[in-house]
Amino acid sequence: CGTCAGGTCTANSQCAGGICSGGICLTKTTIQSFSPPSGAPGTFVSIFGQYFGTTSGHVYFGKNSAPSVSSSDWVEAFPPLSCGAFSYWNNNQIIIQAPTGTAVSTPIKVVTAPRDNGSGTLAVETDLTSAHGLANFQITTTTRPGICMLIPDNGAPGDLVSVDGKNFGLISLASDGVFFDAQKALVLTSGSGLVGWTDSLISVATPGILAGHLSVHVSKNGFESNKVEYTVNPVNGGTYPTISSV
């Protein structure tokens, strides 16, 4: 996968982060996508990318549709307080809620805590969704379901997963559900027949799908929540059979 940050190099292709500068491999904070694409203020938004660092920084939404990086035309977004204490920031994913006071169409800005990008010094890094050709987040009146965390965030097929969040309502439509990528998960029921679905907590079983990294989202009344990372582990530490040809 390439040389890690701080290692020696002579070309970008030799580095895991894709940057070789002065003979040293560096990393750069990069936003790759976000989810969902729109929603009302308060909507939970997941930002995906790389090299965000493990110490929380700051996320901002624009007061206009194209604010400059260093201008004051930004509104800070904060983690969902309704979910209590949870780890909303990691190296590849950030979960915040869309703030009020933004433009109807707004880019998203991530500012990291001081981090070592491989150069041996600590520095703050900034990245914008617009720098990568990503569409702006659209402020609407739509109230979406929102996920703040999965407990646990990994498991083998059949393992229990608790989906914590808000605006799940009560399960009513055939299309309502929790999806691991495109695979719908089984919502658990108790012995008395009570369904494991409340407005803020859903209990499901990890579907029987191939091991690997994927995203989980909730669909309610045709509206999808933000996506949250999940890792499907092999059963008993093994691997799944694979069809190579027919």
Side-chain angles (χ1 to χ4, degrees):
C1 62
T3 302
C4 294
T8 58
C9 60
T10 58
N12 291 340
S13 60
Q14 296 174 343
C15 301
I19 302 174
C20 178
S21 178
I24 301 295
C25 285
L26 305 179
T27 60
K28 184 182 185 305
T29 298
T30 304
I31 300 171
Q32 297 174 328
S33 64
F34 62 88
S35 163
S38 64
T43 296
F44 292 178
V45 180
S46 297
I47 303 168
F48 302 103
Q50 56 184 357
Y51 307 119
F52 295 144
T54 55
T55 301
S56 58
H58 303 273
V59 176
Y60 301 88
F61 284 54
K63 294 180 182 179
N64 60 65
S65 61
S68 63
V69 175
S70 58
S71 75
S72 60
D73 293 333
W74 296 92
V75 179
E76 186 163 6
F78 295 98
L81 298 179
S82 60
C83 297
F86 77 104
S87 180
Y88 73 97
W89 188 296
N90 65 44
N91 200 41
N92 302 105
Q93 174 183 269
I94 305 167
I95 300 174
I96 46 82
Q97 54 186 12
T100 58
T102 71
V104 172
S105 178
T106 166
I108 299 173
K109 178 172 73 171
V110 170
V111 181
T112 70
R115 58 179 292 272
D116 182 359
N117 67 353
S119 64
T121 59
L122 295 177
V124 170
E125 292 189 5
T126 300
D127 197 34
L128 300 177
T129 51
S130 55
H132 306 285
L134 299 176
N136 283 352
F137 182 85
Q138 303 298 314
I139 296 293
T140 67
T141 58
T142 299
T143 299
R144 292 180 178 271
I147 302 174
C148 54
M149 58 182 167
L150 305 174
I151 306 175
D153 62 4
N154 69 93
D159 285 353
L160 172 67
V161 181
S162 294
V163 184
D164 285 23
K166 70 172 184 177
N167 298 333
F168 298 149
L170 297 177
I171 188 168
S172 57
L173 302 177
S175 59
D176 292 349
V178 177
F179 293 82
F180 288 61
D181 279 352
Q183 181 68 45
K184 192 173 185 179
L186 174 68
V187 177
L188 302 183
T189 57
S190 66
S192 59
L194 296 175
V195 177
W197 183 304
T198 69
D199 191 56
S200 60
L201 179 66
I202 306 173
S203 298
V204 298
T206 303
I209 50 183
L210 292 177
H213 301 289
L214 48 74
S215 63
V216 174
H217 73 272
V218 173
S219 181
K220 175 62 183 171
N221 294 334
F223 296 110
E224 292 187 0
S225 72
N226 57 317
K227 297 177 180 179
V228 177
E229 293 179 330
Y230 185 80
T231 300
V232 179
N233 301 323
V235 176
N236 298 323
T239 58
Y240 297 118
T242 302
I243 299 175
S244 58
S245 63
V246 293

